[in-house]
Amino acid sequence: MKLTILIHCPDSVGIISAVTNFIHVKGGNIVYLDQHVDKEAGVFFMRLESEFEQSLNVDGLTKEFEGNLALPYKMAWSIHQLGVKARMAIFVSKYKHCLYDLLSRYDSGELAVEIPFILSNHADLENIAKQFNVPFYHIPISKKNRNEAEAQQLDLLKKHRVDFIVLARYMQIVSSKLIDVYTNKIINIHHSFLPAFAGAKPYHAAFKRGVKIIGATSHYVTAELDAGPIIEQDVTTVSHAHSIADFITKGRDLEKIVLSRAVKLHLQRKTMVYNNKTVIFT
Amino acid sequence: MKLTILIHCPDSVGIISAVTNFIHVKGGNIVYLDQHVDKEAGVFFMRLESEFEQSLNVDGLTKEFEGNLALPYKMAWSIHQLGVKARMAIFVSKYKHCLYDLLSRYDSGELAVEIPFILSNHADLENIAKQFNVPFYHIPISKKNRNEAEAQQLDLLKKHRVDFIVLARYMQIVSSKLIDVYTNKIINIHHSFLPAFAGAKPYHAAFKRGVKIIGATSHYVTAELDAGPIIEQDVTTVSHAHSIADFITKGRDLEKIVLSRAVKLHLQRKTMVYNNKTVIFT
Amino acid sequence: MKLTILIHCPDSVGIISAVTNFIHVKGGNIVYLDQHVDKEAGVFFMRLESEFEQSLNVDGLTKEFEGNLALPYKMAWSIHQLGVKARMAIFVSKYKHCLYDLLSRYDSGELAVEIPFILSNHADLENIAKQFNVPFYHIPISKKNRNEAEAQQLDLLKKHRVDFIVLARYMQIVSSKLIDVYTNKIINIHHSFLPAFAGAKPYHAAFKRGVKIIGATSHYVTAELDAGPIIEQDVTTVSHAHSIADFITKGRDLEKIVLSRAVKLHLQRKTMVYNNKTVIFT
Amino acid sequence: MKLTILIHCPDSVGIISAVTNFIHVKGGNIVYLDQHVDKEAGVFFMRLESEFEQSLNVDGLTKEFEGNLALPYKMAWSIHQLGVKARMAIFVSKYKHCLYDLLSRYDSGELAVEIPFILSNHADLENIAKQFNVPFYHIPISKKNRNEAEAQQLDLLKKHRVDFIVLARYMQIVSSKLIDVYTNKIINIHHSFLPAFAGAKPYHAAFKRGVKIIGATSHYVTAELDAGPIIEQDVTTVSHAHSIADFITKGRDLEKIVLSRAVKLHLQRKTMVYNNKTVIFT
């Protein structure tokens, strides 16, 4: 059995020694350990993978960890058993590229997830969902029905026991109702090199400013638009010879690659959030 | 003899044909031609290099070009003779890396310029100027003496017939007096990926925002701070494991490389400015 | 009507002037012109796009171009009318990522091509072809039937009037029979930064060598394996922490992006081949 | 006091726990820990930084570590006290860019080393050494005097207690005599993206092959030319429009940046060598 443990807590002396000793005594072999100290904030972060030869009583281990380590060191922590597939919902609107990219990775087994459904405020991409045999829900959103629509979304998410949500160029603001339930569990792709060009039409803004490099940013969604903890960014060069249409086409490749990298990091439990920033373990 | 011609004018039919024909008739061989049309603005840009076997009367050519082409097509244009070294002043404060980088390129002949002087508001880098046998002027700047100091700067620039100015991490705002005289001839390096993190302490701001990529931007100086036409940008990856000090160290390498690239593009007459953006010919 | 003209010929004085004048006299407006001189080889290259307001007699223009320009300047040249979709065959084996990427771009209209068929030596990817409603031919290849299989391939290509072929991780050597018919019209993606790691299992070789960067290369297929003219390359960083499986996963993203860029450059007539190298117009 | 410990040994259960516990018991606080397991080779690697409040008996600690941990786990290991400046010799020939870059970093305090001397087989760069007040030795090398010259080099290195050597575009083969004494302690910069274009004139070879990206590689010197463990690599894009001279100029920027990064990684004890590959800790 393979367990991944994520920890953050106030920095103090002896944490690594205490945790690794605990694993060792329980018969576990540590196959990966990475830690980080945010010196300004005085916070310690650790990610640890360990293998246990015999079938382990995870509940018992968890309880002991809680009492012996988590409480005395004031840890925020989580433990994850490898091999249990996370359940990922995809929200889209009309753009195809990120959806196709995620689904082709899902189809080829590169993304080890369950996809209980794809949800959209438009019907346009239903065919793609069908192509890949994934259920598709069309919930239109207008000023009038927003509250109702969000209630429907939450019902679906609950009913399908969704673990996290990927906004694959979903062109609607996500309300705090969803964010509160899925804190640090909604992954968005923004089509600019944040914090430059937050908000609408970033490629147009980048073109107007005459930048020589454009980017894409994947981040966890928070209440403030395009201001959540950044998971992954990438860029590509542009020149005066590129039109806005060229920016958009080049940008699509960035968007889909950056989003899929962020989804994978999340899936592999390699992300931790603190102070609106991420620690990304390698 | 080798001439470089830069043109921009309202877009219309037949410009390339008219210009290339003019050069051909005068006995010139076109060894490089690149053009660009800004369709939104309706502006045509061209850069052309041509070789003339016999010694040419440049004044005569210029006059004819003016009458036959520039006037009818309403061109803004300039003609440059290869081999005449431009005169570049360097403004610095206390940081060494960009200054060392420029001077070592100058020393090895990579930058084909004259450097009549280095100017600083601090005395710290005088030794480096001495190392490379370049005159150094120390003109301190305070709130009180700003006007006077700027007058001194302008005197020096005039006296030394300076063609363009490089701000190699010069930590003072350049006033409109200088900008008016050296429009699109003052090259700055800003230590962020503009338009993100304009203004002071961009590495601190980037660290706080938790970006995964930092950058540097070289641009022509305009009245609005860090908002001038961008010449060149580059980026490098960072992670949670990097401190602000690491950002600064990594950033220094970006700054010096990006600045020197921009200086070379300017020197080679490969930059044109329009609508606060640049056309950069390759 | 919009025409793209590609030219290469021995370098001499006055070519640009002659060609642009020809277009101008015929009533064309040049909207793009880029040229290049290979000084070592003494060869001139040009790509030119021009718009003609009235419907033009292309055959007449072609004839005149031939007589007045192509013959005297000894040009190798071609003329292409915009808006005629090229016919692209895709060859695959068992890997899905490049196929999915090409087909999703085709589906969204980003790749303006006809895809008469997908051909494979295995039946595995037939489902994907079906998903996108593209005919699929399964032609197994073994040592015994190679000649016969290649004859079948050529029949299919001829019957479907295929303009160019994309090898989307096709794991068979393409014989000279095909290459002779489709010279500089077969685009391959090789999963290394050529010329490093040509041949089989490049990710294994890269891992063994301990490189810190891996790459992918798209090139035209020639008789010598992985040695054809390079169209496009890109790279990504790796570290000791990455396994061969990680190299392969990271590499897949490079492969699909680099291949699609090369296909687009080919489609837009932005590639010219000379001396086993490419000129790639921007 | 701050200690950095580097370990590699056969992989087995409990190493991390044993080592961290040892540090903890000795009153040390672990401020950094990174580990890696090469699963194919079955080798465990660890880098650990720890702070000790009181002045520590390092010899005593070393002895205990040896007995309690190194011997039972069959560790190859080393312990380094922070703040002791390493002594770095620079070997050059005629190229200035890497030398200037290293010396300007040294001058600004970015490279925390002692530079007892610069050695060259040519006299050309003596002036630069003088500029930075570093002793310069000119030892010409020819076929006749090679043995003698190498003996002189070794004498100098010994006399000045040099810890490691940087070949800053040193255009001579380093003999096994030096390599044996300075195993994994001679850092070279090669001006290509190894393993592509090993040996002489890589920019010429890259130009001939028509690559779209060129690179530079820093590696430890081994008996086989350009085949040692790679520490750092980087690349930049090129096009058909670039001449060999352009490749060389662009490449110089890569070379100096890549070399200085490698030197810093070595200085910070972040490199370990195994099976002709490096583990580079972050």
Side-chain angles (χ1 to χ4, degrees), chain B residues 96-97 100-101 103-105 107-108 110 128 131-132 236 241 249 252-253 256-257 260-261 264 282, chain D residues 96-97 100-101 103-105 107-108 110 128 131-132 236 241 249 252-253 256-257 260-261 264 282:
Chain B
K96 297 175 171 184
H97 54 289
Y100 260 132
D101 196 64
L103 291 176
S104 64
R105 290 173 201 271
D107 174 62
S108 66
E110 185 183 316
I128 300 179
Q131 254 181 270
F132 289 85
T236 194
T249 305
R252 276 201 293 257
D253 281 358
K256 73 186 190 189
I257 298 292
S260 79
R261 281 192 208 144
K264 278 196 219 171
T282 50
Chain D
K96 297 176 171 186
H97 54 289
Y100 261 132
D101 196 64
L103 291 176
S104 63
R105 291 173 200 272
D107 175 62
S108 65
E110 185 184 315
I128 299 179
Q131 257 182 268
F132 289 85
T236 194
T249 305
R252 276 201 293 256
D253 280 357
K256 73 186 189 188
I257 298 293
S260 79
R261 282 191 208 143
K264 278 196 219 172
T282 51

Side-chain angles (χ1 to χ4, degrees), chain A residues 96-97 100-101 103-105 107-108 110 128 131-132 236 241 249-250 252-254 256-257 260-261 264 282, chain C residues 96-97 100-101 103-105 107-108 110 128 131-132 236 241 249-250 252-254 256-257 260-261 264 282:
Chain A
K96 298 176 170 184
H97 54 290
Y100 261 132
D101 196 65
L103 291 177
S104 64
R105 290 174 201 272
D107 175 62
S108 66
E110 185 183 316
I128 299 179
Q131 255 181 267
F132 289 86
T236 194
T249 305
K250 291 196 98 185
R252 276 201 293 256
D253 281 357
L254 282 179
K256 72 186 190 188
I257 298 293
S260 79
R261 281 192 209 143
K264 278 196 220 172
T282 51
Chain C
K96 298 176 170 184
H97 54 289
Y100 260 132
D101 196 63
L103 291 177
S104 63
R105 290 173 200 271
D107 175 61
S108 66
E110 186 183 317
I128 299 180
Q131 254 182 269
F132 288 86
T236 195
T249 305
K250 292 195 99 186
R252 276 201 293 255
D253 280 357
L254 282 179
K256 72 185 190 189
I257 297 292
S260 78
R261 280 191 209 145
K264 278 198 220 172
T282 52

